[in-house]
Amino acid sequence: MADIKPSTPSLFLREEELRKGTELLYFAYRDFIAEPDDALRKYGFGRAHHRVLHFVARRPGLSVADLLDLLSITKQSLSRVLGTLVGQGYVRQEKGTRDRRQRLLYLTEKGSALEAELAAIQRRRMARAYREAGADAVAGFWRVLAGLIDESRREEIERFVNEA
Amino acid sequence: MADIKPSTPSLFLREEELRKGTELLYFAYRDFIAEPDDALRKYGFGRAHHRVLHFVARRPGLSVADLLDLLSITKQSLSRVLGTLVGQGYVRQEKGTRDRRQRLLYLTEKGSALEAELAAIQRRRMARAYREAGADAVAGFWRVLAGLIDESRREEIERFVNEA
DNA sequence: GGTTTTATGTCAGCCATATTGACTTATTTA
DNA sequence: TAAATAAGTCAATATGGCTGACATAAAACC
């Protein structure tokens, strides 16, 4: 076992570079999420509520099943969060016209306002990072992040994030 | 309020670009963390244990206070996790020689083995993303991530991730 | 038209990870 | 010697996941 060192395939694939990416991803994600978390606490909500608000804002009229698929959680986990948001008038549910079993999700005005508040917080931080890093860096940021996504869902997710 | 649109300062700072970064960060982080989470479940551990193993591996002999600072959690939260790791022989605590109040943390052989297993999983995924994206993209990835970190801790974190 | 599948919801219980607050012990520093 | 610091502990609470079992309504199948 001794003396066998892994060959160094190329400069940016060395262990240190990979570790650096892992650590930066951890620290960046943590700080990025912390600010909206604080804002959410004022409403008695958590980040799970934020995710629902975000995706409903992004895809008004999406079904519960589609939301579950995006979030990759169980319906039981979603139910409490979604129930609260509906109960407190942030999200509205409408029966599907094509398939009346579906409950299509929409933000109310109140929901839109909260979502906008949270989105503004994240846009501010993301904009600062983009501005400091520059347009080329941003393109690289996207490319690497996309590469971290599970191969099986990669195309679907890329289509989603690129859609208007 | 009507008709006032935010001026578009530059192409890569438009709302859509900022949203795209936010969403990719969410999806990428989620998938990146899922694989080690699975491996950890075999040992009855969670990602909190992983973080401890990672940072102790990175800074053998770091103090509990330093670890708390890196993790940004309370000592009560750390205590259970660290207690388990110490109790099951993954982490070893040694009294500091300079300051004997300190409990300096080290991985045991068992701890090193587990940490290496987890690190290999993450390296594999990060390497795939780096390879597909290319070296320039990786540099951009780092720059944007660094920009997302709280300004107050930014320098400290950058120093940390860049240190050998 | 009857059966099966699907979309959604709900109840109950469990687990992991975080929090706050109060208090203890050992050791260092002033 | 008194005060501050490093670490640990007890107790209570919140959040966000999970599994399993079951219910209802509507659509799809044959």
Side-chain angles (χ1 to χ4, degrees):
Chain A
M1 290 289 288
D3 289 327
I4 300 177
K5 286 214 181 162
S7 63
T8 307
S10 63
L11 287 175
F12 73 106
L13 286 173
R14 283 178 316 190
E15 186 162 333
E16 300 149 60
E17 269 75 17
L18 299 169
R19 198 216 58 229
K20 177 172 172 175
T22 300
E23 290 179 345
L24 280 175
L25 183 59
Y26 164 67
F27 290 117
Y29 185 81
R30 195 183 64 184
D31 286 358
F32 185 64
I33 216 73
E35 246 185 322
D37 273 3
D38 284 344
L40 283 155
R41 238 180 295 116
K42 294 184 304 192
Y43 298 84
F45 294 147
R47 63 182 66 167
H49 302 86
H50 186 182
R51 286 175 196 146
V52 171
L53 291 171
H54 175 88
F55 287 116
V56 175
R58 265 285 272 155
R59 286 275 176 277
L62 96 173
S63 68
V64 172
D66 287 347
L67 180 55
L68 287 174
D69 190 54
L70 278 168
L71 295 172
S72 298
I73 58 171
T74 60
K75 66 180 171 180
Q76 294 93 326
S77 298
L78 175 61
S79 93
R80 243 179 333 189
V81 172
L82 184 55
T84 312
L85 290 170
V86 171
Q88 298 187 19
Y90 290 87
V91 172
R92 182 166 47 86
Q93 292 177 303
E94 263 182 38
K95 280 195 178 172
T97 47
R98 216 191 45 216
D99 183 338
R100 283 168 35 215
R101 288 171 305 182
Q102 293 183 323
R103 296 288 176 275
L104 307 183
L105 305 173
Y106 299 89
L107 295 187
T108 62
E109 274 199 31
K110 198 174 162 190
S112 287
L114 176 51
E115 194 280 330
E117 178 186 346
L118 299 169
I121 291 171
Q122 295 202 301
R123 269 203 306 274
R124 196 193 319 135
R125 185 178 290 251
M126 190 62 75
R128 188 194 68 189
Y130 277 18
R131 212 180 305 113
E132 289 175 3
D136 288 351
V138 170
F141 176 63
W142 291 340
R143 282 171 63 83
V144 178
L145 287 179
L148 290 175
I149 294 170
D150 281 354
E151 253 170 332
S152 60
R153 303 205 54 200
R154 180 109 166 253
E155 275 192 48
E156 177 200 347
I157 300 284
E158 290 213 89
R159 221 177 306 119
F160 178 86
V161 303
N162 286 315
E163 264 166 29
Chain B
M1 288 289 287
D3 289 328
I4 300 176
K5 286 214 181 161
S7 63
T8 307
S10 61
L11 286 176
F12 72 106
L13 286 172
R14 284 179 314 188
E15 186 163 333
E16 299 150 58
E17 269 76 16
L18 299 169
R19 197 215 60 227
K20 178 173 172 175
T22 300
E23 289 179 346
L24 280 175
L25 183 59
Y26 165 66
F27 290 116
Y29 186 81
R30 194 183 65 184
D31 286 357
F32 185 64
I33 217 72
E35 247 186 320
D37 274 2
D38 284 344
L40 284 154
R41 237 179 296 117
K42 294 184 305 192
Y43 298 83
F45 294 148
R47 62 183 66 168
H49 302 86
H50 186 182
R51 287 176 197 144
V52 171
L53 291 171
H54 175 89
F55 286 117
V56 175
R58 266 286 271 157
R59 286 274 174 278
L62 95 173
S63 68
V64 171
D66 287 347
L67 180 55
L68 287 175
D69 189 53
L70 277 168
L71 295 172
S72 298
I73 58 172
T74 59
K75 66 179 171 183
Q76 294 92 325
S77 299
L78 176 61
S79 92
R80 239 181 337 187
V81 171
L82 184 55
T84 311
L85 290 170
V86 171
Q88 298 187 19
Y90 290 87
V91 172
R92 183 168 45 87
Q93 290 177 304
E94 262 181 38
K95 279 195 179 172
T97 47
R98 216 191 45 217
D99 183 338
R100 282 168 36 216
R101 289 171 304 181
Q102 293 183 323
R103 297 289 175 274
L104 307 183
L105 305 173
Y106 299 89
L107 295 187
T108 62
E109 275 199 31
K110 198 175 162 189
S112 287
L114 176 52
E115 196 279 330
E117 178 187 345
L118 299 170
I121 292 171
Q122 296 202 300
R123 268 202 309 274
R124 196 193 320 135
R125 186 177 289 251
M126 191 63 76
R128 188 194 68 190
Y130 277 17
R131 214 180 304 114
E132 289 174 3
D136 288 353
V138 170
F141 176 63
W142 291 340
R143 283 172 63 82
V144 178
L145 287 179
L148 289 174
I149 294 169
D150 281 353
E151 251 169 335
S152 60
R153 305 203 55 200
R154 180 110 166 253
E155 274 192 48
E156 177 200 349
I157 300 284
E158 290 214 89
R159 221 177 306 120
F160 179 86
V161 302
N162 286 316
E163 264 167 28

